[in-house]
Amino acid sequence: MHIDDLIRRELPAAARGDAHAYGRIVAASQNAVTAVALAITRDVPASEDIAQEAFLSAWKHLPRLQNAASFMPWLRQITRNLARDHLRASRNRPLDGEAAELAIARAADPGQCPAGLLLDQERDAIAAELISELPEESREVLLLYYREGQNSRQVAELLGLSDAAVRKRLSRARRCLRSELLERFRDFASGSAPGTAFAVAVTAALGGISKPAAAAGVATTGGTLAGGVAGKLLFGGIGAVFTGLVSGALTAWAMRWVLSRYADNDTERRAILRCYDVYLLTGLGCLALCLGCYALFDARLPFYAAVTATFIVLNYQLLGPLARTMTPLVQRDAQRNPRTAYWRTLGYRLSFGPSGVLISNITVVAMLVLLHFKTA
């Protein structure tokens, strides 16, 4: 999924305070934001601190944003301002002159250093100085190009440029670095990219979210419909309803075994399981319809319409085909031993009879009402 599509999908929920929706935006755009900061500061740890501050600042002022298309340009500008402020406040300046030449020489041939024992962090710090050798307008592009799997179109989308402009800047950047330095720069750019922990930390810093919960929300980021559905449903406001439906489905599966015990022979057992399996499969299909409507539509009407259709279809399954199959068998069981059959009959009526259907309908409606007012 393109970053613009993801932002359009997640930003309305994020603006209403959904930290997990914002976390998915962070995960999708963190390479771009850290690259913008790194291009200015030439310092990997500082760039990540600045990027985190930029995301938190954008989150704080998100309700002011009127147009989703303006989010990435706005976020990039926040990052650039923070990075420049960092440079002004920092006493450490980028290397220049002979110091810069020495840094580049070491990056190209670590064996020149005594015993070749430079630590990874030291090599990264030296490699970062390669950024200074690039034209200023090409730094963000080249960093992000290697962080995004050398996909120029993705870079163009993240930086708000045309693909032609990106390719032109890439060409200019390549001309400025010798091939061996360009290869080392590629390793540095991809190796210094923030991982999942960065987005998790930002999401957790929004307040009131544990890191495991933040990680769960961030982990759903992706270009598939399943990612969007899981992210919105498993860890959003609908999560309680979804969990209740899943636990209800597990209980219903156990009841399949209970119902089959009313059969005296294979023919009766097959008839029971055929009706009940149709009920279960219909229920799963209706559940998928409800979740799909919730995930795909911002408006609530399609979701509520799907829930209403689910009520009608499942109530018919319980009070129609299943009841016609089970009623004679339940009555037969009661006639055989009225004393021991009493509780079994009561359980059946509360689970599958009119009383049970009414109770379950009232329960689900009450949950939806609570959800409606909670998310309004």
Side-chain angles (χ1 to χ4, degrees), residues 123-357:
R123 286 199 298 266
D124 287 347
I126 293 172
E129 296 305 321
L130 292 171
I131 300 172
S132 301
E133 297 299 306
L134 295 171
E136 187 172 351
E137 67 173 11
S138 299
R139 294 170 183 173
E140 296 174 1
V141 169
L142 193 60
L143 279 167
L144 194 53
Y145 178 70
Y146 288 127
R147 289 185 173 186
E148 290 293 328
Q150 303 184 43
N151 185 332
S152 62
R153 291 185 179 180
Q154 181 74 358
V155 173
E157 187 175 356
L158 286 166
L159 294 180
L161 301 170
S162 67
D163 187 46
V166 167
R167 292 179 180 276
K168 182 177 180 180
R169 295 184 187 186
L170 287 173
S171 177
R172 185 180 178 190
R174 293 189 184 105
R175 290 197 299 269
C176 293
L177 292 177
R178 298 193 305 273
S179 58
E180 67 272 15
L181 296 184
L182 187 63
E183 182 177 352
R184 182 161 292 278
F185 184 90
R186 179 197 63 199
D187 295 339
F188 160 71
S190 58
S192 62
T196 303
F198 176 86
V200 170
V202 173
T203 307
L206 300 179
I209 303 176
S210 66
K211 284 193 175 182
V218 168
T220 64
T221 304
T224 65
L225 176 61
V229 172
K232 291 186 70 175
L233 300 177
L234 289 178
F235 306 102
I238 195 68
V241 174
F242 181 77
T243 303
L245 289 172
V246 170
S247 62
L250 293 175
T251 301
W253 188 263
M255 291 303 296
R256 182 179 187 269
W257 175 79
V258 172
L259 291 179
S260 67
R261 299 192 65 187
Y262 281 95
D264 281 352
N265 52 59
D266 289 342
T267 301
E268 291 180 349
R269 184 175 292 104
R270 284 195 296 269
I272 292 171
L273 296 184
R274 183 168 55 251
C275 287
Y276 195 65
D277 287 348
V278 169
Y279 167 72
L280 283 182
L281 291 175
T282 303
L284 290 174
C286 290
L287 175 61
L289 174 64
C290 292
L291 299 187
C293 288
Y294 182 84
L296 296 174
F297 299 100
D298 291 331
R300 298 180 184 182
L301 183 59
F303 173 66
Y304 291 149
V307 171
T308 301
T310 297
F311 276 125
I312 295 173
V313 172
L314 294 185
N315 288 349
Y316 168 76
Q317 291 286 340
L318 289 174
L319 301 179
L322 186 64
R324 287 193 295 269
T325 300
M326 289 301 305
T327 298
L329 304 182
V330 173
Q331 291 174 349
R332 183 182 66 189
D333 179 69
Q335 291 171 0
R336 287 174 175 173
N337 194 334
R339 179 186 296 179
T340 61
Y342 173 79
W343 293 108
R344 291 196 298 274
T345 302
L346 180 62
Y348 173 81
R349 290 174 178 172
L350 291 178
S351 299
F352 302 102
S355 300
V357 170

